[in-house]
Amino acid sequence: MILEGRKLLVTGAQQGIGAAVALRAAEAGADVALNYLDDEAATRAIAETITGMGRKAVLVRGDVTDIGALPDMVAQAAEGLGGLDLLCNNAGIYPRQPILELEESIWDATLTVNLKANAFLSKAFALHCKAAGCAGAIVSMSSLAVQGWQDSAHYCASKSGIIGLTRTLAIELAPLNIRANAIAPGLIDTAQPRGGYTEEQLKELVAGTLAGRWGTADEVAETTVYLLSDTASFVNGQLIHVNGGAFFS
């Protein structure tokens, strides 16, 4: 129960890694605010599971690209949970497009969702913690793609940006007793990494890891919960790879 009494906001919580983080955090003792954009039914089902554990869960519908509305998202989460001291920046998109065909609109959309929203939601969260006088922790999702990936210049740029952003957040927010870390998931068995690949290509990619298999959203969630908890109180400004040894293939 390493998150006992903590209050967490998870973006993109309706599926995949976001849903796994929300559920694992609740198992670890946290109350959870579930941000979603377009699948209320799935999000509500996750909330019901969390309340079944005896934890509080609230739904916070909102588009993370609406930068001006992000302080309201934080305020709704804090009001619904009776406080807020943890943030998981998980919402992201991954539209494949080769660099020779890359459209400005795809670049802008990807950088806005994956990086800009992350920065400004972290800002809104930090301002809330400062006003409330509470310590806090932020975990943001980067990616294995920081090493470079086919048809993914825009995505790689956004996820590489998370690294610099996280390190700077750690430096600037340390006086407020707010830690910031990032996770770089590898090939995780969710819908996002499957886009644009055949099953044969996916098998080859997975075989290229030391683990020789897909990772699970729960494995990413376990690392997230650790980084959010006081167990990781001496871990700050770091990027943790959860990729089954992909860099050693």
Side-chain angles (χ1 to χ4, degrees):
M1 304 296 287
I2 60 175
L3 296 184
E4 183 71 37
R6 309 299 293 272
K7 315 290 185 180
L8 167 66
L9 170 61
V10 183
T11 63
Q14 73 275 10
Q15 64 179 351
I17 290 173
V21 168
L23 292 168
R24 182 65 192 93
E27 289 173 354
D31 296 326
V32 186
L34 306 158
N35 161 254
Y36 72 101
L37 178 60
D38 56 9
D39 195 342
E40 181 176 344
T43 313
R44 194 167 297 281
I46 296 164
E48 290 172 356
T49 300
I50 291 172
T51 56
M53 300 177 193
R55 306 296 167 199
K56 188 179 292 184
V58 296
L59 273 62
V60 181
R61 186 182 184 281
D63 184 347
V64 295
T65 68
D66 186 355
I67 303 302
L70 296 180
D72 289 337
M73 184 184 295
V74 168
Q76 287 179 48
E79 181 179 359
L81 298 179
L84 186 68
D85 58 356
L86 303 175
L87 172 64
C88 176
N89 287 305
N90 168 75
I93 60 172
Y94 190 0
R96 271 73 165 184
Q97 199 164 58
I99 189 65
L100 296 182
E101 301 170 13
L102 183 58
E103 301 166 36
E104 184 179 1
S105 60
I106 295 296
W107 174 277
D108 288 346
T110 304
L111 270 290
T112 298
V113 175
N114 294 359
L115 184 58
K116 182 178 179 180
N118 189 307
F120 282 90
L121 185 55
S122 296
K123 172 189 173 183
F125 170 79
L127 286 171
H128 159 80
C129 290
K130 181 180 180 181
C134 68
I138 301 169
V139 172
S140 301
M141 292 299 162
S142 182
S143 171
L144 169 69
V146 297
Q147 68 178 343
W149 207 262
Q150 182 78 20
D151 301 335
S152 304
H154 48 301
Y155 183 76
C156 295
S158 70
K159 292 301 186 177
S160 295
I162 292 293
I163 302 173
L165 172 63
T166 295
R167 290 171 178 167
T168 304
L169 289 173
I171 293 166
E172 293 196 22
L173 300 182
L176 299 177
N177 202 16
I178 298 172
R179 294 181 299 106
N181 291 289
I183 295 174
L187 293 166
I188 305 302
D189 194 8
T190 61
Q192 192 180 76
R194 296 177 178 278
Y197 291 104
T198 66
E199 283 301 314
E200 279 303 312
Q201 288 172 321
L202 289 170
K203 287 179 182 178
E204 289 180 13
L205 287 171
V206 170
T209 67
L210 294 182
R213 64 171 176 84
W214 286 93
T216 69
D218 287 341
E219 287 172 314
V220 179
E222 288 286 354
T223 305
T224 305
V225 167
Y226 161 70
L227 289 173
L228 290 170
S229 76
D230 288 342
T231 306
S233 60
F234 204 53
V235 182
N236 200 7
Q238 302 303 306
L239 176 69
I240 308 298
H241 291 279
V242 182
N243 64 23
F247 292 136
F248 299 100
S249 60

